[in-house]
Amino acid sequence: MKTPLCVPRVLLLGSSFLGGLSGSVVQFVFAWASSQYGAVALGGTLLAGMLPSLLLTFVGGVFADRNDARRMLFAGAVVSAVVLFTTTWWHAVAPAAVVFMVSNFALSVTGAVFGGSSYVIPAALFPKDELVRINANLSLADDAAYLVGPLLAAAIFLATGVVGSLLFAAAVGLVAGAWLLALPPVPRSEATEALNLKFVAAGFVYISKTASTMRLVLFFATTNVLAAAFQVASPFFADALGGAQAYALLLSAMNLGMTASNLALSAVPIRASEKLIFASGLFQGLALAALGRSRSLPGAVVFGAVHDAMANMSSTVFISYLQAKVPEALLGRVFAAVNTLAMLLTPLGFASAPWLIARLGAATSVVALGLVSAAVAAIFCGLRGCLAKES
């Protein structure tokens, strides 16, 4: 049996925190800087960051099942740093919205190719009955970074602009990747299997033959469209409540909600189930609708925290659900297939959000997105039969 006693948790938690800190700074800078060029520019930047995952995530899944996850994640950190260094130079020479679109596209390619290995490490090093807690603990470190990250990013951004902020993020990301090299090796049992179409498509085949997994993938595919549109609407919604500082506070509050959710998941033994995933999605949608109706920053902060608490519970339970059920040798490819299918329609959310905001306004758009999200969760819960006994 796998045991967590042999794993230097401090390295995993430290890497998760530093990686989250780097990511939160990049997210804030790209979103806020792009929004200054208008809703279309922000939507384009977010869309550019999504498209590569639809085509290249399965490549990352193949790499994850054939290579040591530690080395793959470190390589990803190095490539990401190169992208950020290039972005700072480009922005300094010729600042424009296209800088952030192209850079986000490049970072997305890097994440799609190298990031899939992150799902392999917990399943390879920890017992299955500990996976919910382990994933929650790792998310706690990441959430702590995203709690302080937007505030830190806003301070660095105001003091040094885009260039200083992204150089800071690149340096921190490199340290996060390097720490993982001190973990025990994670050999892949499928490394010698022939690399052919059957091997590459194994994750999609597994999903197609597993009804429960397919149902969850369809649920996330639908709600991710709405979440993407909310990402575009949120800076404009926050702008009416106080500008960049209000946006930073809203992001920090939402990540505080994620932190609270992970504390609960790490403290209370919970069985990963479809029922819990759909229930979390229902409350997530209702919180989003209430957020859109808020006319003051304190109210928006509270409902934003509840929204992300429920979103985090849903996603963390789903990750643990798959890690416990999927054969370890298939983990990389199954997660790649899940992510590809779940994000398939997400570009529609980024592309349609500017149209929605122009006609309804940011606040009303957020309310509509929340109500639709809650309705989707209720429908899937009904299809699953949430009142029935778990199979």
Side-chain angles (χ1 to χ4, degrees):
M1 175 182 291
K2 305 183 186 76
T3 172
L5 297 178
C6 67
V7 180
R9 293 192 181 192
V10 65
L11 292 175
L12 281 172
L13 295 175
S15 180
S16 182
F17 175 80
L18 292 175
L21 187 62
S22 175
S24 67
V25 171
V26 172
Q27 181 186 72
F28 177 88
V29 172
F30 276 28
W32 186 253
S34 295
S35 71
Q36 304 310 295
Y37 295 95
V40 174
L42 176 56
T45 298
L46 296 176
L47 182 61
M50 178 57 58
L51 290 176
S53 64
L54 300 180
L55 301 174
L56 297 176
T57 299
F58 73 91
V59 176
V62 171
F63 284 165
D65 284 336
R66 295 177 67 86
N67 299 280
D68 189 328
R70 306 168 309 153
R71 297 183 183 278
M72 291 296 297
L73 293 172
F74 175 67
V78 172
V79 176
S80 294
V82 171
V83 171
L84 292 177
F85 289 146
T86 304
T87 303
T88 60
W89 170 82
W90 189 5
H91 177 77
V93 173
V98 68
V99 174
F100 303 105
M101 295 180 189
V102 174
S103 299
N104 213 25
F105 183 89
L107 288 176
S108 181
V109 170
T110 303
V113 173
F114 297 99
S117 296
S118 62
Y119 296 112
V120 170
I121 293 178
L125 299 179
F126 295 92
K128 290 184 178 181
D129 58 0
E130 286 289 320
L131 286 175
V132 171
R133 287 185 175 182
I134 293 301
N135 284 309
N137 285 330
L138 292 176
S139 293
L140 270 174
D142 185 67
D143 293 343
Y146 272 84
L147 176 62
V148 302
L151 300 176
L152 178 62
I156 297 175
F157 183 83
L158 290 174
T160 65
V162 171
V163 174
S165 302
L166 295 186
L167 287 178
F168 172 82
V172 173
L174 280 173
V175 175
W179 277 22
L180 291 174
L181 295 178
L183 286 170
V186 185
R188 307 308 296 140
S189 59
E190 298 294 316
T192 58
E193 186 173 323
L195 184 59
N196 51 33
L197 183 60
K198 180 180 179 181
F199 181 87
V200 173
F204 293 95
V205 172
Y206 177 90
I207 293 175
S208 68
K209 294 181 177 180
T210 311
S212 60
T213 303
M214 178 60 75
R215 186 164 47 240
L216 289 167
V217 168
L218 292 175
F219 168 69
F220 283 106
T222 305
T223 56
N224 281 340
V225 175
L226 306 172
F230 173 59
Q231 287 186 54
V232 178
S234 57
F236 301 98
F237 174 79
D239 191 36
L241 299 178
Q245 290 82 1
Y247 182 50
L249 285 172
L250 180 60
L251 290 179
S252 292
M254 294 171 75
N255 286 288
L256 179 60
M258 295 177 65
T259 302
S261 174
N262 280 315
L263 281 171
L265 289 173
S266 62
V268 180
I270 293 177
R271 178 190 175 193
S273 68
E274 291 181 74
K275 181 178 180 179
L276 183 56
I277 292 171
F278 294 141
S280 300
L282 174 61
F283 286 105
Q284 176 188 345
L286 294 175
L288 183 58
L291 169 63
R293 289 186 58 84
S294 301
R295 294 298 178 264
S296 65
L297 185 57
V301 162
V302 170
F303 289 116
V306 174
H307 171 273
D308 269 35
M310 294 297 99
N312 176 75
M313 180 171 292
S314 182
S315 61
T316 301
V317 171
F318 180 47
I319 290 171
S320 304
Y321 179 88
L322 289 179
Q323 288 174 333
K325 289 183 173 293
V326 177
E328 187 177 318
L330 278 172
L331 272 176
R333 284 164 290 168
V334 169
F335 269 105
V338 165
N339 288 332
T340 297
L341 295 174
M343 305 302 287
L344 193 61
L345 299 177
T346 303
L348 180 62
F350 292 134
S352 63
W355 176 88
L356 185 66
I357 295 170
R359 282 153 182 78
L360 300 180
T364 303
S365 297
V366 172
V367 173
L369 293 170
L371 292 176
V372 174
S373 182
V376 169
I379 290 172
F380 272 89
C381 187
L383 292 174
R384 172 60 179 87
C386 286
L387 296 179
K389 183 179 179 181
E390 282 287 342
S391 58

